[in-house]
PDB file of all heavy atoms in Angstrom:
ATOM      1  N   ALA A 421      29.814 -67.070  -3.191  1.00 81.00           N
ATOM      2  CA  ALA A 421      31.254 -67.183  -2.743  1.00 81.00           C
ATOM      3  C   ALA A 421      31.998 -68.185  -3.647  1.00 81.00           C
ATOM      4  O   ALA A 421      31.347 -69.032  -4.321  1.00 81.00           O
ATOM      5  CB  ALA A 421      31.314 -67.660  -1.330  1.00 81.00           C
ATOM      6  N   GLU A 422      33.295 -68.031  -3.600  1.00 85.00           N
ATOM      7  CA  GLU A 422      34.166 -68.998  -4.357  1.00 85.00           C
ATOM      8  C   GLU A 422      34.116 -70.347  -3.620  1.00 85.00           C
ATOM      9  O   GLU A 422      33.696 -70.372  -2.410  1.00 85.00           O
ATOM     10  CB  GLU A 422      35.586 -68.414  -4.405  1.00 85.00           C
ATOM     11  CG  GLU A 422      35.633 -67.122  -5.174  1.00 85.00           C
ATOM     12  CD  GLU A 422      37.094 -66.678  -5.437  1.00 85.00           C
ATOM     13  OE1 GLU A 422      37.742 -67.442  -6.168  1.00 85.00           O
ATOM     14  OE2 GLU A 422      37.487 -65.678  -4.927  1.00 85.00           O
ATOM     15  N   PRO A 423      34.473 -71.391  -4.326  1.00 88.00           N
ATOM     16  CA  PRO A 423      34.481 -72.758  -3.680  1.00 88.00           C
ATOM     17  C   PRO A 423      35.291 -72.735  -2.384  1.00 88.00           C
ATOM     18  O   PRO A 423      36.393 -72.132  -2.381  1.00 88.00           O
ATOM     19  CB  PRO A 423      35.096 -73.652  -4.711  1.00 88.00           C
ATOM     20  CG  PRO A 423      35.597 -72.816  -5.810  1.00 88.00           C
ATOM     21  CD  PRO A 423      34.930 -71.455  -5.733  1.00 88.00           C
ATOM     22  N   ALA A 424      34.703 -73.273  -1.292  1.00 79.00           N
ATOM     23  CA  ALA A 424      35.331 -73.179  -0.028  1.00 79.00           C
ATOM     24  C   ALA A 424      36.484 -74.100   0.143  1.00 79.00           C
ATOM     25  O   ALA A 424      37.342 -73.839   1.050  1.00 79.00           O
ATOM     26  CB  ALA A 424      34.292 -73.437   1.105  1.00 79.00           C
ATOM     27  N   VAL A 425      36.591 -75.173  -0.576  1.00 84.00           N
ATOM     28  CA  VAL A 425      37.637 -76.203  -0.382  1.00 84.00           C
ATOM     29  C   VAL A 425      38.477 -76.361  -1.639  1.00 84.00           C
ATOM     30  O   VAL A 425      37.910 -76.565  -2.750  1.00 84.00           O
ATOM     31  CB  VAL A 425      36.942 -77.556   0.053  1.00 84.00           C
ATOM     32  CG1 VAL A 425      38.050 -78.606   0.354  1.00 84.00           C
ATOM     33  CG2 VAL A 425      36.014 -77.430   1.217  1.00 84.00           C
ATOM     34  N   LYS A 426      39.766 -76.270  -1.472  1.00 87.00           N
ATOM     35  CA  LYS A 426      40.696 -76.507  -2.573  1.00 87.00           C
ATOM     36  C   LYS A 426      40.284 -75.621  -3.795  1.00 87.00           C
ATOM     37  O   LYS A 426      40.353 -76.113  -4.977  1.00 87.00           O
ATOM     38  CB  LYS A 426      40.755 -77.969  -2.947  1.00 87.00           C
ATOM     39  CG  LYS A 426      41.133 -78.894  -1.862  1.00 87.00           C
ATOM     40  CD  LYS A 426      42.555 -78.806  -1.455  1.00 87.00           C
ATOM     41  CE  LYS A 426      42.936 -79.805  -0.413  1.00 87.00           C
ATOM     42  NZ  LYS A 426      44.368 -79.704   0.007  1.00 87.00           N
ATOM     43  N   ALA A 427      40.029 -74.374  -3.584  1.00 87.00           N
ATOM     44  CA  ALA A 427      39.594 -73.506  -4.679  1.00 87.00           C
ATOM     45  C   ALA A 427      40.619 -73.387  -5.800  1.00 87.00           C
ATOM     46  O   ALA A 427      40.370 -73.563  -6.992  1.00 87.00           O
ATOM     47  CB  ALA A 427      39.193 -72.129  -4.203  1.00 87.00           C
ATOM     48  N   GLN A 428      41.823 -73.114  -5.439  1.00 88.00           N
ATOM     49  CA  GLN A 428      42.883 -72.967  -6.436  1.00 88.00           C
ATOM     50  C   GLN A 428      43.130 -74.305  -7.179  1.00 88.00           C
ATOM     51  O   GLN A 428      43.426 -74.248  -8.334  1.00 88.00           O
ATOM     52  CB  GLN A 428      44.139 -72.428  -5.788  1.00 88.00           C
ATOM     53  CG  GLN A 428      44.048 -71.012  -5.302  1.00 88.00           C
ATOM     54  CD  GLN A 428      43.700 -70.012  -6.368  1.00 88.00           C
ATOM     55  OE1 GLN A 428      44.026 -70.106  -7.509  1.00 88.00           O
ATOM     56  NE2 GLN A 428      42.914 -68.942  -5.925  1.00 88.00           N
ATOM     57  N   GLU A 429      43.070 -75.395  -6.449  1.00 93.00           N
ATOM     58  CA  GLU A 429      43.283 -76.679  -7.103  1.00 93.00           C
ATOM     59  C   GLU A 429      42.189 -76.947  -8.106  1.00 93.00           C
ATOM     60  O   GLU A 429      42.418 -77.502  -9.195  1.00 93.00           O
ATOM     61  CB  GLU A 429      43.334 -77.777  -6.087  1.00 93.00           C
ATOM     62  CG  GLU A 429      44.589 -77.742  -5.187  1.00 93.00           C
ATOM     63  CD  GLU A 429      44.488 -76.863  -3.991  1.00 93.00           C
ATOM     64  OE1 GLU A 429      43.574 -76.046  -3.988  1.00 93.00           O
ATOM     65  OE2 GLU A 429      45.389 -76.891  -3.108  1.00 93.00           O
ATOM     66  N   LEU A 430      40.986 -76.543  -7.724  1.00 96.00           N
ATOM     67  CA  LEU A 430      39.801 -76.748  -8.630  1.00 96.00           C
ATOM     68  C   LEU A 430      39.961 -75.872  -9.888  1.00 96.00           C
ATOM     69  O   LEU A 430      39.799 -76.307 -11.025  1.00 96.00           O
ATOM     70  CB  LEU A 430      38.521 -76.394  -7.911  1.00 96.00           C
ATOM     71  CG  LEU A 430      37.181 -76.594  -8.604  1.00 96.00           C
ATOM     72  CD1 LEU A 430      36.092 -76.959  -7.613  1.00 96.00           C
ATOM     73  CD2 LEU A 430      36.810 -75.349  -9.392  1.00 96.00           C
ATOM     74  N   TYR A 431      40.395 -74.667  -9.653  1.00 96.00           N
ATOM     75  CA  TYR A 431      40.616 -73.762 -10.843  1.00 96.00           C
ATOM     76  C   TYR A 431      41.725 -74.332 -11.722  1.00 96.00           C
ATOM     77  O   TYR A 431      41.620 -74.289 -12.934  1.00 96.00           O
ATOM     78  CB  TYR A 431      41.022 -72.381 -10.376  1.00 96.00           C
ATOM     79  CG  TYR A 431      39.946 -71.614  -9.549  1.00 96.00           C
ATOM     80  CD1 TYR A 431      40.273 -70.590  -8.691  1.00 96.00           C
ATOM     81  CD2 TYR A 431      38.522 -71.935  -9.706  1.00 96.00           C
ATOM     82  CE1 TYR A 431      39.297 -69.931  -7.978  1.00 96.00           C
ATOM     83  CE2 TYR A 431      37.598 -71.284  -8.978  1.00 96.00           C
ATOM     84  CZ  TYR A 431      37.937 -70.244  -8.152  1.00 96.00           C
ATOM     85  OH  TYR A 431      36.982 -69.609  -7.415  1.00 96.00           O
ATOM     86  N   ALA A 432      42.719 -74.856 -11.072  1.00 96.00           N
ATOM     87  CA  ALA A 432      43.881 -75.365 -11.901  1.00 96.00           C
ATOM     88  C   ALA A 432      43.427 -76.556 -12.742  1.00 96.00           C
ATOM     89  O   ALA A 432      43.805 -76.775 -13.904  1.00 96.00           O
ATOM     90  CB  ALA A 432      45.037 -75.811 -10.957  1.00 96.00           C
ATOM     91  N   ALA A 433      42.525 -77.362 -12.186  1.00 97.00           N
ATOM     92  CA  ALA A 433      42.063 -78.536 -12.949  1.00 97.00           C
ATOM     93  C   ALA A 433      41.153 -78.101 -14.128  1.00 97.00           C
ATOM     94  O   ALA A 433      41.059 -78.858 -15.129  1.00 97.00           O
ATOM     95  CB  ALA A 433      41.257 -79.438 -12.015  1.00 97.00           C
ATOM     96  N   LEU A 434      40.521 -76.986 -14.046  1.00 98.00           N
ATOM     97  CA  LEU A 434      39.667 -76.447 -15.101  1.00 98.00           C
ATOM     98  C   LEU A 434      40.391 -75.718 -16.210  1.00 98.00           C
ATOM     99  O   LEU A 434      39.861 -75.572 -17.299  1.00 98.00           O
ATOM    100  CB  LEU A 434      38.479 -75.627 -14.538  1.00 98.00           C
ATOM    101  CG  LEU A 434      37.451 -76.296 -13.748  1.00 98.00           C
ATOM    102  CD1 LEU A 434      36.472 -75.262 -13.104  1.00 98.00           C
ATOM    103  CD2 LEU A 434      36.583 -77.254 -14.725  1.00 98.00           C
ATOM    104  N   ASP A 435      41.551 -75.179 -15.889  1.00 97.00           N
ATOM    105  CA  ASP A 435      42.308 -74.507 -16.891  1.00 97.00           C
ATOM    106  C   ASP A 435      42.457 -75.294 -18.186  1.00 97.00           C
ATOM    107  O   ASP A 435      42.158 -74.835 -19.357  1.00 97.00           O
ATOM    108  CB  ASP A 435      43.703 -74.125 -16.352  1.00 97.00           C
ATOM    109  CG  ASP A 435      43.706 -72.782 -15.770  1.00 97.00           C
ATOM    110  OD1 ASP A 435      42.654 -72.105 -15.659  1.00 97.00           O
ATOM    111  OD2 ASP A 435      44.880 -72.303 -15.304  1.00 97.00           O
ATOM    112  N   PRO A 436      42.962 -76.544 -18.150  1.00 97.00           N
ATOM    113  CA  PRO A 436      43.177 -77.320 -19.375  1.00 97.00           C
ATOM    114  C   PRO A 436      41.819 -77.648 -20.022  1.00 97.00           C
ATOM    115  O   PRO A 436      41.809 -77.970 -21.268  1.00 97.00           O
ATOM    116  CB  PRO A 436      43.894 -78.609 -18.899  1.00 97.00           C
ATOM    117  CG  PRO A 436      43.709 -78.703 -17.427  1.00 97.00           C
ATOM    118  CD  PRO A 436      43.502 -77.272 -16.966  1.00 97.00           C
ATOM    119  N   VAL A 437      40.716 -77.669 -19.334  1.00 98.00           N
ATOM    120  CA  VAL A 437      39.439 -77.931 -19.937  1.00 98.00           C
ATOM    121  C   VAL A 437      39.083 -76.794 -20.894  1.00 98.00           C
ATOM    122  O   VAL A 437      38.661 -77.009 -22.026  1.00 98.00           O
ATOM    123  CB  VAL A 437      38.334 -78.104 -18.846  1.00 98.00           C
ATOM    124  CG1 VAL A 437      36.970 -78.247 -19.510  1.00 98.00           C
ATOM    125  CG2 VAL A 437      38.686 -79.299 -17.994  1.00 98.00           C
ATOM    126  N   ALA A 438      39.250 -75.518 -20.384  1.00 98.00           N
ATOM    127  CA  ALA A 438      38.938 -74.416 -21.199  1.00 98.00           C
ATOM    128  C   ALA A 438      39.880 -74.332 -22.407  1.00 98.00           C
ATOM    129  O   ALA A 438      39.517 -74.040 -23.572  1.00 98.00           O
ATOM    130  CB  ALA A 438      39.091 -73.125 -20.404  1.00 98.00           C
ATOM    131  N   GLN A 439      41.199 -74.649 -22.112  1.00 98.00           N
ATOM    132  CA  GLN A 439      42.195 -74.638 -23.250  1.00 98.00           C
ATOM    133  C   GLN A 439      41.806 -75.725 -24.272  1.00 98.00           C
ATOM    134  O   GLN A 439      41.931 -75.385 -25.502  1.00 98.00           O
ATOM    135  CB  GLN A 439      43.590 -75.012 -22.678  1.00 98.00           C
ATOM    136  CG  GLN A 439      44.104 -73.960 -21.710  1.00 98.00           C
ATOM    137  CD  GLN A 439      45.303 -74.465 -20.930  1.00 98.00           C
ATOM    138  OE1 GLN A 439      45.877 -75.529 -21.186  1.00 98.00           O
ATOM    139  NE2 GLN A 439      45.670 -73.681 -19.926  1.00 98.00           N
ATOM    140  N   ALA A 440      41.348 -76.872 -23.906  1.00 98.00           N
ATOM    141  CA  ALA A 440      41.056 -77.950 -24.840  1.00 98.00           C
ATOM    142  C   ALA A 440      39.841 -77.470 -25.764  1.00 98.00           C
ATOM    143  O   ALA A 440      39.868 -77.738 -26.967  1.00 98.00           O
ATOM    144  CB  ALA A 440      40.665 -79.269 -24.118  1.00 98.00           C
ATOM    145  N   VAL A 441      38.902 -76.948 -25.175  1.00 97.00           N
ATOM    146  CA  VAL A 441      37.652 -76.550 -25.925  1.00 97.00           C
ATOM    147  C   VAL A 441      38.032 -75.450 -26.928  1.00 97.00           C
ATOM    148  O   VAL A 441      37.390 -75.422 -28.046  1.00 97.00           O
ATOM    149  CB  VAL A 441      36.535 -76.082 -24.979  1.00 97.00           C
ATOM    150  CG1 VAL A 441      35.406 -75.458 -25.771  1.00 97.00           C
ATOM    151  CG2 VAL A 441      36.028 -77.258 -24.240  1.00 97.00           C
ATOM    152  N   LEU A 442      38.986 -74.566 -26.579  1.00 97.00           N
ATOM    153  CA  LEU A 442      39.378 -73.523 -27.535  1.00 97.00           C
ATOM    154  C   LEU A 442      40.399 -73.914 -28.556  1.00 97.00           C
ATOM    155  O   LEU A 442      40.562 -73.163 -29.572  1.00 97.00           O
ATOM    156  CB  LEU A 442      39.932 -72.310 -26.692  1.00 97.00           C
ATOM    157  CG  LEU A 442      38.915 -71.517 -25.904  1.00 97.00           C
ATOM    158  CD1 LEU A 442      39.602 -70.562 -24.878  1.00 97.00           C
ATOM    159  CD2 LEU A 442      37.941 -70.721 -26.807  1.00 97.00           C
ATOM    160  N   THR A 443      41.059 -75.028 -28.362  1.00 97.00           N
ATOM    161  CA  THR A 443      42.121 -75.437 -29.287  1.00 97.00           C
ATOM    162  C   THR A 443      41.794 -76.727 -30.048  1.00 97.00           C
ATOM    163  O   THR A 443      42.491 -77.023 -31.062  1.00 97.00           O
ATOM    164  CB  THR A 443      43.405 -75.648 -28.482  1.00 97.00           C
ATOM    165  OG1 THR A 443      43.211 -76.684 -27.507  1.00 97.00           O
ATOM    166  CG2 THR A 443      43.936 -74.370 -27.941  1.00 97.00           C
ATOM    167  N   ARG A 444      40.723 -77.437 -29.624  1.00 97.00           N
ATOM    168  CA  ARG A 444      40.351 -78.704 -30.309  1.00 97.00           C
ATOM    169  C   ARG A 444      38.872 -78.674 -30.594  1.00 97.00           C
ATOM    170  O   ARG A 444      38.075 -78.763 -29.647  1.00 97.00           O
ATOM    171  CB  ARG A 444      40.738 -79.974 -29.451  1.00 97.00           C
ATOM    172  CG  ARG A 444      42.246 -80.188 -29.348  1.00 97.00           C
ATOM    173  CD  ARG A 444      42.520 -81.260 -28.360  1.00 97.00           C
ATOM    174  NE  ARG A 444      41.426 -82.231 -28.131  1.00 97.00           N
ATOM    175  CZ  ARG A 444      41.158 -82.742 -26.899  1.00 97.00           C
ATOM    176  NH1 ARG A 444      41.884 -82.382 -25.856  1.00 97.00           N
ATOM    177  NH2 ARG A 444      40.177 -83.618 -26.749  1.00 97.00           N
ATOM    178  N   GLU A 445      38.542 -78.613 -31.885  1.00 96.00           N
ATOM    179  CA  GLU A 445      37.079 -78.513 -32.219  1.00 96.00           C
ATOM    180  C   GLU A 445      36.300 -79.750 -31.784  1.00 96.00           C
ATOM    181  O   GLU A 445      35.160 -79.661 -31.421  1.00 96.00           O
ATOM    182  CB  GLU A 445      36.931 -78.302 -33.749  1.00 96.00           C
ATOM    183  CG  GLU A 445      35.533 -78.041 -34.159  1.00 96.00           C
ATOM    184  CD  GLU A 445      35.392 -77.645 -35.622  1.00 96.00           C
ATOM    185  OE1 GLU A 445      36.450 -77.706 -36.295  1.00 96.00           O
ATOM    186  OE2 GLU A 445      34.304 -77.238 -36.019  1.00 96.00           O
ATOM    187  N   ASP A 446      37.004 -80.861 -31.673  1.00 96.00           N
ATOM    188  CA  ASP A 446      36.270 -82.132 -31.300  1.00 96.00           C
ATOM    189  C   ASP A 446      36.434 -82.498 -29.789  1.00 96.00           C
ATOM    190  O   ASP A 446      36.169 -83.605 -29.395  1.00 96.00           O
ATOM    191  CB  ASP A 446      36.749 -83.255 -32.143  1.00 96.00           C
ATOM    192  CG  ASP A 446      38.264 -83.567 -31.959  1.00 96.00           C
ATOM    193  OD1 ASP A 446      38.929 -82.769 -31.344  1.00 96.00           O
ATOM    194  OD2 ASP A 446      38.729 -84.645 -32.449  1.00 96.00           O
ATOM    195  N   ALA A 447      36.916 -81.522 -28.989  1.00 96.00           N
ATOM    196  CA  ALA A 447      37.076 -81.861 -27.531  1.00 96.00           C
ATOM    197  C   ALA A 447      35.713 -82.213 -26.933  1.00 96.00           C
ATOM    198  O   ALA A 447      34.645 -81.639 -27.324  1.00 96.00           O
ATOM    199  CB  ALA A 447      37.586 -80.546 -26.864  1.00 96.00           C
ATOM    200  N   ASP A 448      35.732 -83.209 -26.081  1.00 96.00           N
ATOM    201  CA  ASP A 448      34.534 -83.743 -25.502  1.00 96.00           C
ATOM    202  C   ASP A 448      34.333 -83.113 -24.071  1.00 96.00           C
ATOM    203  O   ASP A 448      35.084 -83.518 -23.149  1.00 96.00           O
ATOM    204  CB  ASP A 448      34.635 -85.255 -25.392  1.00 96.00           C
ATOM    205  CG  ASP A 448      33.345 -85.879 -24.822  1.00 96.00           C
ATOM    206  OD1 ASP A 448      32.548 -85.190 -24.189  1.00 96.00           O
ATOM    207  OD2 ASP A 448      33.184 -87.105 -25.005  1.00 96.00           O
ATOM    208  N   PRO A 449      33.491 -82.140 -23.860  1.00 95.00           N
ATOM    209  CA  PRO A 449      33.357 -81.469 -22.606  1.00 95.00           C
ATOM    210  C   PRO A 449      33.002 -82.440 -21.471  1.00 95.00           C
ATOM    211  O   PRO A 449      33.580 -82.315 -20.365  1.00 95.00           O
ATOM    212  CB  PRO A 449      32.145 -80.534 -22.822  1.00 95.00           C
ATOM    213  CG  PRO A 449      32.253 -80.192 -24.289  1.00 95.00           C
ATOM    214  CD  PRO A 449      32.651 -81.522 -24.917  1.00 95.00           C
ATOM    215  N   ALA A 450      32.118 -83.381 -21.724  1.00 95.00           N
ATOM    216  CA  ALA A 450      31.700 -84.304 -20.665  1.00 95.00           C
ATOM    217  C   ALA A 450      32.960 -85.130 -20.153  1.00 95.00           C
ATOM    218  O   ALA A 450      33.153 -85.321 -18.958  1.00 95.00           O
ATOM    219  CB  ALA A 450      30.637 -85.303 -21.160  1.00 95.00           C
TER     220      ALA A 450
END
Side-chain angles (χ1 to χ4, degrees):
E422 299 191 61
V425 184
K426 303 288 185 183
Q428 292 301 329
E429 290 85 348
L430 184 148
Y431 296 157
L434 286 173
D435 270 2
V437 177
Q439 294 164 13
V441 170
L442 288 169
T443 57
R444 289 172 24 218
E445 188 172 7
D446 61 349
D448 184 342

